Every structure is written in structure tokens, then in C-alpha cells.
Amino acid sequence: LCSFLGLLYQEYRDKSTREEIETRRLQDSQTDPEETSPSEETPSEAEPTSTTENKAPAQINLLRNSNSRFNLWQDLPEVQNSGVLSILQPDEIKLQEAMFELVTSEASYYKSLNLLVSHFMENERLKKILHQSEAHILFSNVLDVMAVSERFLLDLEQRVEENIVISDVCDIVYQHTVNHFSVYITYVSNQTYQERTYKQLLQDKPAFREVISQLELDPKCKGLSFSSFLILPFQRITRLKLLVQNILKKVEEKSDRESTALDAHKELETVVKACNEGVRKMSRTEQMISIQKKLEFKIKSVPIISHSRWLLKQGELQQMNGPKTSRTLRTKKLFREIYLFLFNDLLVICRQIPGDKYQVFDSAPRGLLRVEELEDQGQSLANVFILRLLENADDREASYMLKASSQSEMKRWMISLAPNRRTKFVSFTSRLVDCPQIQCVHPYVAQQPDELSLELADVLNILDKTDDGWIFGERLHDQERGWFPSSMGEEILNPKIRAQNLKECFRVHKSDDSQRRKLGSRNRQ
């Protein structure tokens, strides 16, 4: 496959997701969406070439270049000449495309990994500039990752060559995930140090900066940056899970192929979670040490650093002074600044003091917090809410009336402080028939711990939204929750498409009913 594959994985992935967005837009605009099923991976949605009534736009030719002749399974000369397209049902053809997409995308990914190693890592000038420890942090165990990809690709190619009608690929995915994919966890867990080292090298070593720039300009790189090659393994392991999800949506229910797809998906999900945890653990430990140094306790000291504790949100709010009867007083001293550090299991309330320090004057377990919004209180009390500590540092109940800088900031604090509080729209995990949905059309990188990074074509349920342009969403494929700007997505308006998205999501996760029951109340950050 690599011999005819012209696109680097970054190009392949970008075109694939953009086509997915366009297909979903078309489905959303159709009056009768039952004709077309939404899909995580568009190429497998292509209809047989003999269909003339197909209203879908022409598929982007993902592999079209001087070295390739086709991009879809049904375009393979062997398939076209065999006559199977006239025998197979449309659903089976879609399944063949979904499986073929997994194979061709792995070939594209391997090609990009190979370029990272041969063009960058093994460059003689770069080797002379980098200290051995710097090279190790920068490239980590990429050679192991590439070897695993090569072995995986060889098994996939062998399966494709066995029969023009692919029997299955998820059994191969399962075996490789269980036996070999732990190399991804090692690579991804190094990401924090990798990014930091890369930035430091660019800043401190002009020779490094110059060589990287020259290597990036090589036509082989097709205008792609060095850093886009470094993040390939993390992107691939996540995408592989989505490709298996796409196959799972197309296999016959209660079939052997459904069983192997569910097994493969479950194992991939375990690896992806371990990758995410690896990244978070590295950055969280450093962050907790930094916060601990800044805190001074006016009350009995609370040990901040714990291996099971991490920061969810921090920031300044205005606290109302005096008793509640003074709420109508119009005075500039009505509010004073306080600073909150909210962890996954603890809230500490502080006042900022000179020297970038914070004096802690109250605290409470996160499970003993309650919030209440104040409505129609006039402009001076806009974006005000009440925070109740059922048991504070003095083992008493305490209330704080707090004012946020905007409606979105108020809602973000309220949802973070009391995650089990009912949102405006109920999550799909409650099995409600309908819920607003949005698909991501611009990628977004989270700037705060309570935000959610988005990839192109992600589909999310909208749990809450604000008048100033923020959405609190839950991504369908992994149930991760967080805030993001509403400008990053387009709402899915067709209720039948939304229902189909939910149905597919339940099917993907049906192998773990106990997990799904937990999802409705979970607030994963």
C-alpha cells in the first residue's frame, strides 16, 4: 500500500475529516435523512459507483496523486473486475469501505512516521546539534512506535490480499492493541516534556532552529511542520478508535464481526485513556507543586499535593461584603476580590496577597458544595450566584455571594463547583429522546482546565450555552465534557440525524452497560 500511497497522514486525516463535515452538513439539510446514515469516517459512506440517484457530493479522492490510482475499496481494479459490486448489498459495500479506510490510513500514517525518522531524527546535522538526552526527549520511543505500525500494517495488508472481499480487520486491531500498542502510552506520556524541550531548543539553539526550518522546506514535507510529525502517534491512536467505531456502526448486530469490533474498541479505549492519563499526570504533578508553594493558610493547613488530586478551575471572583440585607446598597465597596482554587475533591478560598501568594481563609470538600443562581436582581447583581459550603474549614455551614465577570464565567464556575447540578439540556446518557447537538468545524485547543479540546468533525451534545458565546458540551465518542466557544461548531438541526447519532453512540458503548449508567452523573475533566 505504501508504494502507491502519496498523501502524508496529516493531509489524509485533514481531507477525511473535512469531507466528513460536508457529508454531515448535507445530511442535516435533507428533509428525509433516513436515506443516508451519519458516519464517523466519510470515505466508507460512498455509494456503489453504479448508483445514479446518489445525491451526496463527489467523494474527495483521498489518495489521488501521481503514484495512486484509487482511494476507495470499490475503485480497486480487482474489485471492479470481479463483479462483486453487483452482488454485495449496499450496507456490505459500506462496511468494506470502512475496513479499507482503516488499512489505507495506517499506510499513510506509517509513511509519515517513516519521514519523521528518516528526514528529521536521522539527519546528520541535527544529530550533531542535539545532545543525546535532548534527542531522547524530542523523539522518545518513535522507533518502537514505527516498528509496531509496520507490523500492524503488514498484517492488515495480508488480510486485504487474502480475498478481495475483506473478511474482517477488527480481530487484527484487537491482537495488536493488546500485545503491542503500549508503546503509544510511553510516547504520549512524554508529550509535556517533548513540547517544552522543543520550545527551549528553538529559543536557545539558533543552529537547531535553522536546520529544522530547512528540513521543513523540503518538498517531502509538503509544507507540514516538524511539530505536526511529532504529534502523529497521539492523533493516530485516537483516530484508530474512531475508525473501529465506524466499522462497528456498519456490521450486522449480534454477529461475530460486531463482537470482534466491540472487543477491539474496548481495548483501544483503554489505551487512549492511558495515553490521556499519562499526559495529564505529568503536567498535573508540576502544577500542584507550583500551587502549594503559593498558598499560605490563615486556617488549619490542608495538604494540597496528592497523587489523586488535580486542578479543575482557578480564578478571581467578587465576594459581596456584609449581610444579605445590604444587597441593595449602591456602593463601590459592595464587592471585594477573592480567589478560588477548585480541585477535583477540594475547594480552597483565598485572598491574593503581595508576592504572588494566596492566603487561604476557608475550604471545603468538593462533594459538600452547593450553588444557586440569583435571577432578575438588576444590573449591579448580574452574574451573581450563591455558593454554599455544607461543611467548611470550621465544620460549619457557610455561604458566599459571588459575582463573576460574565454570564459564561458564572455558569462555568457553577458547573465546576457542583457538577451534578442539572444543566440546561440533559445529557444523552440519560437516554432522553433528543438533545441539541453540534459538530466541530474548527479545531480548538483548550485554554483552561474546564475547557474541551476539539478535533474537526467531533459531534457533541450541547448541555448548556451562554449568551456570550460559550457552549458546555459532551463529546459523543468518548463522553468527555467541557466548555468551548460556540463559533467552533455548527448546530445539527435535523432531529432524525441527532437521533441517529445517539443510536450509533449507544451501540458503540453497549458492551459496557455499567459504564453507561455512570456517564450521566460523571463530570470528567
Side-chain angles (χ1 to χ4, degrees):
L1 279 169
C2 288
S3 61
F4 68 74
L5 193 76
L7 290 184
L8 292 173
Y9 185 65
Q10 296 96 314
E11 302 171 291
Y12 191 116
R13 189 169 169 273
D14 185 56
K15 286 190 176 185
S16 178
T17 49
R18 291 200 178 276
E19 179 66 10
E20 188 180 333
I21 288 168
E22 289 305 319
T23 301
R24 210 176 269 123
R25 279 174 176 157
L26 181 85
Q27 292 164 350
D28 198 29
S29 66
Q30 286 174 344
T31 51
D32 186 6
E34 290 176 345
E35 295 297 313
T36 324
S37 299
S39 155
E40 283 295 342
E41 292 293 327
T42 309
S44 53
E45 283 298 306
E47 291 296 323
T49 49
S50 58
T51 305
T52 54
E53 309 86 52
N54 186 12
K55 296 178 184 176
Q59 297 293 324
I60 288 177
N61 200 340
L62 294 179
L63 306 177
R64 182 183 293 148
N65 64 85
S66 57
N67 300 320
S68 75
R69 302 183 307 278
F70 54 84
N71 66 303
L72 297 174
W73 173 80
Q74 61 195 276
D75 292 338
L76 288 165
E78 297 86 346
V79 173
Q80 294 206 334
N81 296 334
S82 69
V84 294
L85 291 175
S86 59
I87 300 166
L88 294 178
Q89 293 296 315
D91 285 350
E92 179 61 34
I93 292 173
K94 288 180 182 181
L95 176 57
Q96 290 295 314
E97 296 292 5
M99 292 190 288
F100 190 64
E101 162 79 0
L102 189 145
V103 181
T104 53
S105 63
E106 187 65 29
S108 177
Y109 167 63
Y110 177 72
K111 181 185 171 105
S112 287
L113 278 183
N114 205 17
L115 191 60
L116 171 61
V117 172
S118 63
H119 186 62
F120 291 99
M121 182 178 169
E122 293 177 350
N123 180 271
E124 290 302 324
R125 286 177 64 198
L126 205 56
K127 280 184 180 178
K128 288 173 185 173
I129 293 165
L130 292 175
H131 188 272
Q132 194 174 350
S133 62
E134 292 169 334
H136 178 68
I137 294 172
L138 205 55
F139 295 103
S140 190
N141 64 328
V142 71
L143 290 175
D144 296 337
V145 173
M146 191 169 81
V148 163
S149 175
E150 183 176 21
R151 192 182 310 159
F152 181 42
L153 182 58
L154 286 170
D155 283 354
L156 291 170
E157 286 182 330
Q158 187 179 344
R159 178 63 57 83
V160 172
E161 288 165 8
E162 282 173 7
N163 195 317
I164 51 169
V165 178
I166 306 164
S167 58
D168 198 359
V169 293
C170 289
D171 56 329
I172 298 172
V173 175
Y174 173 82
Q175 291 296 335
H176 282 262
T177 306
V178 170
N179 297 319
H180 307 300
F181 283 6
S182 59
V183 297
Y184 281 96
I185 302 168
T186 307
Y187 186 92
V188 174
S189 297
N190 181 54
Q191 191 176 305
T192 305
Y193 299 122
Q194 186 188 58
E195 288 173 358
R196 186 183 304 157
T197 301
Y198 181 49
K199 284 178 185 174
Q200 202 67 45
L201 286 167
L202 287 174
Q203 190 177 312
D204 298 346
K205 292 192 174 182
F208 173 80
R209 195 166 60 237
E210 185 187 333
V211 171
I212 290 294
S213 296
Q214 286 176 2
L215 292 174
E216 286 175 336
L217 289 171
D218 192 296
K220 288 181 201 166
C221 293
K222 301 190 177 181
L224 295 162
S225 69
F226 173 54
S227 56
S228 80
F229 286 91
L230 288 177
I231 61 169
L232 283 171
F234 193 20
Q235 290 179 331
R236 180 57 183 170
I237 197 69
T238 309
R239 193 65 176 170
L240 202 52
K241 190 186 84 164
L242 296 180
L243 288 161
V244 170
Q245 280 189 9
N246 190 42
I247 292 169
L248 187 49
K249 293 169 189 174
K250 292 172 172 54
V251 292
E252 191 179 343
E253 291 200 48
K254 297 180 181 176
S255 65
D256 288 343
R257 288 198 292 195
E258 183 188 55
S259 179
T260 54
L262 284 167
D263 288 344
H265 181 265
K266 190 176 180 181
E267 291 302 327
L268 278 169
E269 199 156 54
T270 302
V271 173
V272 170
K273 282 178 182 173
C275 286
N276 285 326
E277 281 308 306
V279 174
R280 288 167 179 165
K281 192 176 180 182
M282 297 285 190
S283 54
R284 282 170 177 171
T285 304
E286 293 184 346
Q287 189 178 44
M288 295 302 288
I289 293 168
S290 171
I291 291 170
Q292 170 100 334
K293 289 176 181 174
K294 293 179 179 181
L295 298 182
E296 293 182 2
F297 285 83
K298 190 177 179 181
I299 53 171
K300 184 183 175 183
S301 180
V302 178
I304 294 296
I305 297 174
S306 161
H307 72 279
S308 60
R309 178 174 293 150
W310 61 87
L311 184 73
L312 295 183
K313 192 167 178 62
Q314 67 176 42
E316 189 177 270
L317 288 166
Q318 305 288 316
Q319 180 198 356
M320 170 166 279
N321 287 322
K324 288 188 179 181
T325 51
S326 67
R327 277 191 294 173
T328 54
L329 294 177
R330 296 194 175 187
T331 164
K332 289 181 181 177
K333 294 184 181 178
L334 189 60
F335 294 97
R336 63 180 295 191
E337 291 84 10
I338 63 167
Y339 202 92
L340 270 55
F341 289 95
L342 177 66
F343 305 99
N344 60 310
D345 62 346
L346 176 74
L347 171 71
V348 293
I349 306 176
C350 324
R351 288 204 168 83
Q352 196 160 5
I353 54 176
D356 194 27
K357 297 272 188 181
Y358 298 88
Q359 188 179 62
V360 180
F361 65 88
D362 210 349
S363 67
R366 187 180 179 218
L368 297 178
L369 304 176
R370 301 292 182 268
V371 292
E372 177 190 338
E373 187 175 351
L374 284 183
E375 295 179 1
D376 303 321
Q377 297 290 332
Q379 189 56 42
S380 64
L381 294 178
N383 308 320
V384 171
F385 66 96
I386 293 169
L387 169 64
R388 283 171 53 223
L389 282 54
L390 300 185
E391 191 177 296
N392 75 348
D394 298 325
D395 298 325
R396 295 200 304 259
E397 185 172 324
S399 287
Y400 294 90
M401 189 176 286
L402 304 173
K403 181 179 175 72
S405 58
S406 64
Q407 187 198 40
S408 59
E409 195 58 19
M410 177 188 73
K411 283 199 170 188
R412 285 170 69 163
W413 269 113
M414 290 177 74
I415 284 175
S416 294
L417 288 161
N420 295 332
R421 186 175 171 271
R422 189 183 175 94
T423 50
K424 185 174 181 180
F425 306 106
V426 181
S427 158
F428 81 87
T429 49
S430 67
R431 281 194 168 277
L432 278 196
V433 175
D434 200 10
C435 174
Q437 285 178 8
I438 192 167
Q439 81 158 328
C440 170
V441 295
H442 303 290
Y444 181 68
V445 178
Q447 306 297 310
Q448 301 290 334
D450 66 336
E451 292 179 12
L452 185 63
S453 292
L454 301 178
E455 296 278 0
L456 281 174
D458 277 352
V459 177
L460 304 98
N461 270 15
I462 299 172
L463 305 185
D464 214 329
K465 55 168 69 172
T466 68
D467 296 337
D468 53 353
W470 284 84
I471 285 174
F472 183 55
E474 181 174 63
R475 188 163 45 219
L476 263 60
H477 78 73
D478 61 4
Q479 287 84 52
E480 289 280 349
R481 293 180 173 193
W483 290 90
F484 55 90
S486 56
S487 57
M488 295 298 112
E490 294 174 356
E491 256 193 76
I492 296 171
L493 302 175
N494 193 319
K496 289 185 178 178
I497 295 297
R498 293 197 296 266
Q500 179 69 21
N501 289 341
L502 296 192
K503 182 182 174 186
E504 289 176 348
C505 188
F506 284 128
R507 185 177 178 193
V508 164
H509 292 284
K510 78 176 183 181
S511 63
D512 193 352
D513 289 329
S514 61
Q515 179 199 30
R516 190 172 64 223
R517 283 196 293 272
K518 292 175 191 172
L519 294 177
S521 62
R522 184 172 66 191
N523 184 40
R524 293 170 55 197
Q525 298 294 339

